[in-house]
Amino acid sequence: MPRKKIARLLPPLPLRSRLDEAAHKTERLTQILRRVAIKNQRDQPRAFYSVREIAQAYRVPLSTVSQVYRHLEQEGLITRVRSSRTLLEGRQFDRQVGVRTFVGLPASLSAFVTIQAYRMFFIRIRRELRLRGFATTMVFWEKRETGARDFAERLKAYQVDTVIWFQPPAFARELSEQLADLGIRVIGVAHEGVPSISCRYIVRRDQAIRRLILEWKERQGITDITAVRWKHRRTSTVEEALLGAVDELDVKTHFVELQDQPSYQFLASLQKTKTGGIIFASAEVASKLAFRAPKALSNLLHAHHVAFLNGPITMPFAKVPEARVDLVLVDWQAVTEQIVDDLITQEAFRTSLATTFEAQAELRVPLSDFAQDI
C-alpha cells in the first residue's frame, strides 16, 4: 500500500472515560482498521501498516495494536510476516474457507527416516505452512515406485494446488510437466544433489565449506584430509564445493569409497587411516554408517577430527557421543519462513531469479548438541 500520510487515511479514535478507555480503544481500533483494510484490498496481497506505525499514529501501546492485528489475522484480512512486515490479503483469498491453498510435499521415505537435514526441512515447512493458513499433505515415495504418471495421479487425488519439491529426484522432471498440465504449480528447492528441475530456492554450502577447510589448514595445521563418499554415486554439489575449496587452498585430499563391505569394517579401516581429518561429504553415507554401525562411528569420532558437510546425523540405535565435530548447518527455519512469505505474496511464482540460502560452519561443537537419537 502506498505510504500516504497516515493521518489522512486513518480516522481518529473518539474520547471515552478512563474506566472503559482501554477496552473501547481496542474495539474501536479493530473496527477502524477492518474498514481501512477492506477499502484498500486489491486482487493480490499488498503491504499494510506495521504494528509500530499504528501505535504511533493512535498513541496506543504496541500490545493493543498486536491484539487488534490478531483479530484481523483470524478474520483473514491481514497476515504478519517476518521482518515486522504486515500484508493486506488479496480479494482472491476466501476468508470464509480459511485456507489459502493446498500444498503437496513429496518426500523420499528413506531419506526422511535416515537423513536429519532432509527431515528437518519438512518438519519446519509443514509447521510454517499450517501456522500461516495453508493446508498440507506429505506424499512419500520410494525408489521402486518412481513412475511419473502414477505419482502425478497420487498428487491429483490429494487435490493439491501447489507442490514444494525439496531435493527433486530424476523423475521429477517428467512429473513436473504432467503436473503443469493438471494446473498444479511446482516449486523446487535444491539441497545436496544436482536438481533435475529448475529450482526457485537453492541451499548452498560453498562459503561454509571453504571456511571449514581454511580453519583446518591455518589454525590447526591440517594439510591432508580424507573424504568419504559412496561408490557409483553421482558427484553432488556438496562434493563439488569441497573439491573447489581444497583445490583453492592447496589441501591434499584422498577419497575413500564406501562400497559393499560391512559398515563396521569400513569404519574400522577408516579409523586406522593416517590423516589430518576426515570429512563426510555425503549425507547418505554418513546416515547409513550411523544406522548400521553407531558404535564404530562413535569410536571414529573420538579418534579423529571429523566434519559432516550436510549437518548432524541421526543415531537411532545408540546414544549420540559427546565427541566434538565440525558441522555445516542450514537455518531451516529461515529457509521455510522465506518460502512461505513468498507463497503469500506470490513472489514464489513471479520471478525467475533463484533465492539462495548460505549455510554456516559450526566448528568443534559437541555432536550431542545437534544430532538426534531417535
Side-chain angles (χ1 to χ4, degrees):
M1 180 181 298
R3 286 296 193 263
K4 302 177 180 178
K5 288 186 177 180
I6 196 167
R8 294 181 181 176
L9 183 58
L10 300 175
L13 285 173
L15 297 176
R16 297 279 291 197
S17 66
R18 287 180 177 270
L19 185 62
D20 62 349
E21 181 179 1
H24 178 75
K25 276 190 175 181
T26 301
E27 180 182 355
R28 182 62 176 150
L29 187 58
T30 302
Q31 295 172 357
I32 291 173
L33 292 179
R34 182 185 292 117
R35 287 200 302 267
V36 171
I38 293 173
K39 179 180 178 181
N40 288 276
Q41 270 189 313
R42 300 294 182 268
D43 288 341
Q44 297 299 326
R46 59 195 310 216
F48 195 60
Y49 298 107
S50 69
V51 170
R52 190 170 300 278
E53 286 176 320
I54 297 297
Q56 291 174 349
Y58 285 116
R59 298 180 181 178
V60 295
L62 292 172
S63 58
T64 299
V65 185
S66 294
Q67 183 179 353
V68 171
Y69 271 30
R70 280 195 295 272
H71 287 308
L72 298 180
E73 195 166 16
Q74 290 171 358
E75 294 176 15
L77 279 169
I78 65 171
T79 297
R80 286 177 289 178
V81 297
R82 287 191 311 132
S83 306
S84 301
R85 292 191 297 129
T86 304
L87 292 177
L88 177 61
E89 287 294 352
R91 292 171 179 154
Q92 295 179 356
F93 174 42
D94 185 351
R95 295 192 298 278
Q96 300 302 317
V97 175
V99 174
R100 298 176 186 278
T101 190
F102 203 165
V103 179
L105 302 170
S108 162
L109 181 59
S110 60
F112 185 87
V113 171
T114 60
I115 300 175
Q116 183 169 319
Y118 192 90
R119 181 168 59 251
M120 289 307 299
F121 171 82
F122 287 100
I123 291 173
R124 297 293 186 185
I125 194 70
R126 288 186 73 193
R127 178 180 180 276
E128 197 64 25
L129 285 166
R130 289 177 175 178
L131 285 175
R132 309 279 282 282
F134 293 87
T136 68
T137 182
M138 290 194 65
V139 185
F140 289 104
W141 55 272
E142 299 183 60
K143 291 182 179 179
R144 65 174 181 269
E145 51 175 12
T146 54
R149 183 175 299 279
D150 291 341
F151 201 75
E153 290 299 321
R154 288 178 61 190
L155 289 169
K156 180 182 177 182
Y158 282 109
Q159 298 183 331
V160 300
D161 305 292
T162 302
V163 167
I164 299 178
W165 205 312
F166 182 70
Q167 199 168 315
F171 76 93
R173 179 178 301 172
E174 180 184 353
L175 178 61
S176 62
E177 297 175 356
Q178 295 185 19
L179 293 178
D181 292 338
L182 296 172
I184 300 173
R185 299 179 293 187
V186 178
I187 300 172
V189 184
H191 177 222
E192 178 191 6
V194 178
S196 59
I197 62 175
S198 176
C199 287
R200 176 65 178 78
Y201 302 94
I202 300 173
V203 176
R204 300 192 67 89
R205 292 172 168 79
D206 305 56
Q207 296 179 14
I209 292 173
R210 186 186 184 283
R211 182 198 164 199
L212 188 153
I213 300 299
L214 186 63
E215 174 80 10
W216 280 22
K217 180 179 180 179
E218 293 191 348
R219 297 196 179 185
Q220 302 182 40
I222 297 176
T223 57
D224 66 282
I225 63 175
T226 300
V228 182
R229 63 185 177 188
W230 207 325
K231 187 179 181 182
H232 305 312
R233 287 295 193 275
R234 183 178 177 181
T235 302
S236 69
T237 56
V238 177
E239 290 180 358
E240 290 175 352
L242 174 61
L243 288 170
V246 296
D247 183 62
E248 177 189 351
L249 299 173
D250 195 25
V251 174
K252 185 179 178 181
T253 305
H254 172 64
F255 281 90
V256 295
E257 296 180 337
L258 176 62
Q259 302 183 33
D260 300 324
Q261 69 268 50
S263 297
Y264 72 91
Q265 288 184 1
F266 175 79
L267 287 167
S269 64
L270 190 60
Q271 186 173 335
K272 297 176 183 178
T273 302
K274 293 182 179 181
T275 182
I278 297 174
I279 289 181
F280 289 89
S282 166
E284 197 174 2
V285 169
S287 297
K288 178 180 179 180
L289 295 174
F291 263 69
R292 297 188 176 182
K295 183 172 179 56
L297 180 58
S298 179
N299 293 337
L300 178 71
L301 299 182
H302 287 291
H304 284 283
H305 193 145
V306 177
F308 295 98
L309 302 189
N310 286 278
I313 55 178
T314 294
M315 302 186 74
F317 306 119
K319 179 178 174 59
V320 177
E322 298 291 334
R324 290 187 174 272
V325 298
D326 292 342
L327 299 172
V328 174
L329 298 175
V330 177
D331 185 348
W332 293 117
Q333 185 61 36
V335 171
T336 56
E337 284 183 359
Q338 183 64 62
I339 293 173
V340 177
D341 282 358
D342 290 349
L343 280 175
I344 292 172
T345 63
Q346 299 291 300
E347 188 66 24
F349 309 107
R350 289 180 187 153
T351 177
S352 59
L353 296 177
T355 298
T356 300
F357 303 97
E358 291 288 348
Q360 300 295 321
E362 294 285 344
L363 307 176
R364 309 313 297 152
V365 294
L367 180 61
S368 56
D369 288 355
F370 297 89
Q372 297 175 347
D373 46 356
I374 57 177

